[in-house]
Amino acid sequence: MRILLHRADGNTGPWIEDFARHLPEAQVEVWSEEHSQGPYDYAVVWSPPQAMLAQLAQVKAIFLTGAGVDALMRYNDEIPAHIPVIRLEDAGMAAQMAEYVSYAVLRYFRRLDEYEAQSRAGVWQPLAQHERADFSVGVLGMGVLGSRVLEALKTFGFPLRGWSRSPKQVEGVECFHGMDGLDTFLRGSRVLVCMLPLTPETSNLLDRSNMSKLPAGAYLINVARGAHVAEPDLLTLIKSGHISAATLDVFRNEPLPQQHPFWQEPRITITPHISALTLRSESIAQMADKIRALGAGQNVAGVVDRSKGY
C-alpha cells in the first residue's frame, strides 16, 4: 500500500512516524513535483498544489487533514467523480472548538472584553450584567463541530438557536433551516457563531444585509472561514454600534496582513486560526481505520458530498 502525503508546511516527518505506528503496512511518500511516481493507493492532503492533481486523479481515495473541504473543492472538476474525498470527523477538534466558542460567548456575556479595556485605561467601574434570558446564542451550521458547540453551551443556560441547510432537531435548541428560515434565525440571535462550510452559496453570506438583521448590539464569532464575512461590512456595523464586538479566528488572507484595518479596531479580537487545530496522532489513527475499512470493501463515514461542497 502506497500513500502520497503533502504538507504545505513541509513538516512531514512526524506524520510519517505516526503512520508507521498506526498503519505499519503502508509506505508513505512525500509528494514532490520532481520525484513522485505513481500509482498510489491513497493521498493525504489539505491544500494541494495544482501540480499534484495528476497523482490525485489516480488514487482510490483522498483523505483531508482537516474538517473543512474548501481547499480541495476548488479542484473539484479536475478530480474524477468516482474518487471519494474523506474529511476528518472530530479527531479532537470538536472539544477545542467547544472550548474556544464557549470562552468567547462567556467573555461577552460577562462583559470581560469591556473590563479588559477598562483595566488598560486604569478604570474601576462595575458594569450592569447582561440578562441571560436575552443573551441568545445562534450557531450557524450544525454539523459535527457545530453540534458539539451547542452541546457545550447548554451548560450555561443561554437560549440556543441553530441553523442548517436541511431540517434538524436538537433537544434544547430552537432549530431553523434553509434560506427561508435564515432571517428569523438571525433576527433572534444576540450572539452569532459562524461554523458553516465554505461553499459558493455561503461565501459572503454574512454581508451588511444579513448582519444588519442581528439584534442591535449583537456579537459575532467566526471560527469557520474568513470568506463567510464581508469584512468592510463588518467594520461598518461595528463602528455604527449595531455589532458590539467580534471574535475572529479566520480571515480571507492568512496571516492577516499588518495593514488590515481589523488590527486597529479594538472591538475585534483576533486569533491566528487556532480555534481547532488538527491533532496529528488522532487524525492519523482515524485515517488508518478508514483505509483498512475501504480495503475490506466497507463504507466509511466522512465522505464529502461533492455536489454540495461539504
Side-chain angles (χ1 to χ4, degrees):
M1 180 196 306
R2 299 180 73 197
I3 296 175
L4 184 61
L5 172 67
H6 176 265
R7 293 282 303 169
D9 60 9
N11 187 26
T12 55
W15 285 75
I16 294 172
E17 292 173 6
D18 280 353
F19 264 113
R21 185 167 71 255
H22 291 288
L23 197 67
E25 63 269 34
Q27 176 186 351
V28 179
E29 300 179 27
V30 177
W31 180 84
S32 73
E33 191 168 358
E34 297 80 15
H35 302 112
S36 297
Q37 299 292 327
Y40 297 96
D41 297 290
Y42 302 100
V44 175
V45 301
W46 170 242
S47 180
Q50 189 160 11
M52 193 178 180
L53 293 182
Q55 282 91 356
L56 295 182
Q58 299 174 23
V59 298
K60 299 174 183 176
I62 299 170
F63 286 86
L64 301 178
T65 58
V69 303
D70 47 289
L72 184 67
M73 286 300 96
R74 59 192 169 130
Y75 299 132
N76 192 35
D77 294 340
E78 301 177 65
I79 298 172
H82 70 275
I83 298 177
V85 175
I86 304 170
R87 57 176 171 77
L88 284 178
E89 299 174 284
D90 190 351
M93 288 184 286
Q96 297 178 71
M97 194 70 81
E99 292 164 355
Y100 184 100
V101 173
S102 295
Y103 165 76
V105 171
L106 291 171
R107 179 169 174 257
Y108 291 136
F109 176 63
R110 294 299 304 268
R111 303 185 71 169
L112 296 177
D113 60 321
E114 297 172 78
Y115 285 121
E116 290 163 9
Q118 288 188 174
S119 175
R120 288 191 293 270
V123 174
W124 178 287
Q125 178 61 54
L127 302 172
Q129 282 274 72
H130 288 301
E131 293 292 333
R132 192 179 305 270
D134 297 332
F135 211 77
S136 56
V137 182
V139 174
L140 194 59
M142 299 171 66
V144 173
L145 300 181
S147 297
R148 178 66 179 83
V149 164
L150 283 165
E151 192 63 33
L153 290 172
K154 288 180 182 179
T155 304
F156 306 107
F158 300 120
L160 298 179
R161 302 157 68 84
W163 183 91
S164 54
R165 178 173 173 170
S166 55
K168 290 192 175 184
Q169 289 187 338
V170 178
E171 185 178 355
V173 179
E174 187 177 7
C175 296
F176 302 83
H177 71 275
M179 298 310 294
D180 291 343
L182 183 61
D183 280 10
T184 305
F185 166 79
L186 292 172
R187 294 184 192 282
S189 298
R190 180 72 177 278
V191 182
L192 179 64
V193 183
C194 182
M195 303 194 68
L196 289 170
L198 182 61
T199 68
E201 291 74 28
T202 64
S203 180
N204 284 317
L205 182 67
L206 298 180
D207 58 9
R208 185 167 185 171
S209 174
N210 279 330
M211 287 190 289
S212 294
K213 296 169 186 173
L214 296 169
Y219 300 89
L220 173 66
I221 300 167
N222 187 15
V223 291
R225 289 290 183 267
H228 287 124
V229 177
E231 294 179 345
D233 294 351
L234 174 59
L235 274 172
T236 297
L237 290 170
I238 285 180
K239 291 182 183 301
S240 75
H242 186 79
I243 292 181
S244 292
T247 295
L248 307 177
D249 186 52
V250 288
F251 306 89
R252 289 176 180 269
N253 297 303
E254 296 181 3
L256 187 66
Q258 284 299 311
Q259 67 272 21
H260 197 287
F262 280 175
W263 289 113
Q264 281 71 54
E265 175 47 67
R267 288 163 292 187
I268 293 180
T269 298
I270 294 168
T271 55
H273 205 143
I274 49 78
S275 56
L277 300 174
T278 298
L279 301 181
R280 187 184 63 252
S281 184
E282 290 87 339
S283 300
I284 291 174
Q286 185 181 123
M287 292 179 199
D289 288 343
K290 291 184 178 183
I291 286 172
R292 291 195 179 100
L294 289 171
Q298 302 170 3
N299 293 326
V300 298
V303 176
V304 174
D305 184 337
R306 290 168 61 182
S307 66
K308 296 180 179 178
Y310 60 90

